[in-house]
Amino acid sequence: MTITQPDLSVFETLESEVRSYCRGWPTVFDHARGSRMHDEDGHEYLDFFAGAGSLNYGHNNPVLKRALIDYLERDGVTHGLDMSTTAKRTFLQTFQNLVLRPRDLPYKVMFPGPTGTNAVESALKLARKVKGREAIVSFTNAFHGMSLGSLAVTGNAFKRAGAGIPLVHGTPMPFDNYFDGKVPDFLWFERLLEDQGSGLNKPAAVIVETVQGEGGINVARPEWLRALKALCERQDMLLIVDDIQMGCGRTGAFFSFEEAGIVPDIVTVSKSISGYGLPMSLCLFRPELDVWEPGEHNGTFRGNNPAFVTASAALEAYWTDGSAMEKQTRARGERLEQWLISITEENLADVREYRGRGLVWGLEFHDPERAGRIARRAFDLGLLIETSGPQGEVVKLLPALTITADELDEGMSILARAARETA
């Protein structure tokens, strides 16, 4: 692929230095559909980024687009705060019928605001309100958002430093396999809880990702998650699962915690819940935890009605038969894993590990800079991938769940070539 130099001057002179993704993909994108994006010069890119997990059903999915266009053309309500609207009613009924009831989940649904960090902030606030305690336990290499409460339970030192103030009331504990299996699970955590001299304030809740996306695609074992749930019950702590990136089918099942057979007290959902990349988030919790006073947690953009429309359409299109999407995702994931095995064998001295679930995978290198070089070369070859992990040492693969087998093979072939050419 020949890449011409795009005109990036307005972005470089007017937009803040905080911009990040565009630095790795120096072009101007113009249109997209499915798993392919096109820039203004006509170059095509296979998208293995999917809006950081916001586009599980691909770009401009035609079924969702049709529902949105029909709604807008009839002058459906676009902004409604938390007013009752037909779009919200349809979403709630659809979500209950297709997601909650089939899984026997009794959750109440809260619309905390448009972004994932809004959902996390509301979950933390609710847990503290219910338990009357301030402390929250999170895990090493966790990422839960960029607002102050979410940063307090995030592990990455660079992101935490951006807060500019002390981040308080959060305590990190080792994530699964942090000590390479040399230390029994939760030994340190439970000993601190039981020792009156440990200095650990009794936590209100524990917040966890079943697969740490930004942290490097670290996958928690089902037995570790079950043990965590049991620990929370023994110690009178709420369990919050952050399913913002790993929910909505990313790991196979609709919720990433289903495989472990646990029912968290609180669940945060965002990214692909709207189905179309529109801002939307949910905070789900057991009914007895619904101790909010009216308006106690507020926000102007809680009622993104166009997102309700596309969310309902996505659930009806892909989760009416809940097992079909799950089976396809697992099959695509197995196909992707075979590619990673091949790439690992070809780069045996350089690859530290590959890991993942469903359609989220990571390829970790001993040399942290190697992943970045591969991502840059992949872009030149027409593939969009990002890196993750505390040092950017992991190539992160996050294709749309609707990707075809041929597109998956095409993208992984490019990745294999990029790895070969950056050795």
Side-chain angles (χ1 to χ4, degrees), residues 6-32:
D7 181 8
L8 301 173
S9 57
V10 69
F11 307 107
E12 294 168 350
T13 59
L14 191 59
E15 191 179 0
S16 166
E17 292 299 318
V18 78
R19 65 193 188 279
S20 60
Y21 292 116
C22 57
R23 297 179 188 273
W25 302 324
T27 192
V28 180
F29 295 101
D30 179 66
H31 62 280

Side-chain angles (χ1 to χ4, degrees), residues 36-59:
R36 298 184 186 272
M37 298 187 72
H38 302 261
D39 67 18
E40 62 183 353
D41 293 321
H43 301 119
E44 183 179 87
Y45 302 84
L46 255 177
D47 184 5
F48 273 38
F49 175 64
S54 297
L55 296 165
N56 281 3
Y57 312 109
H59 293 269

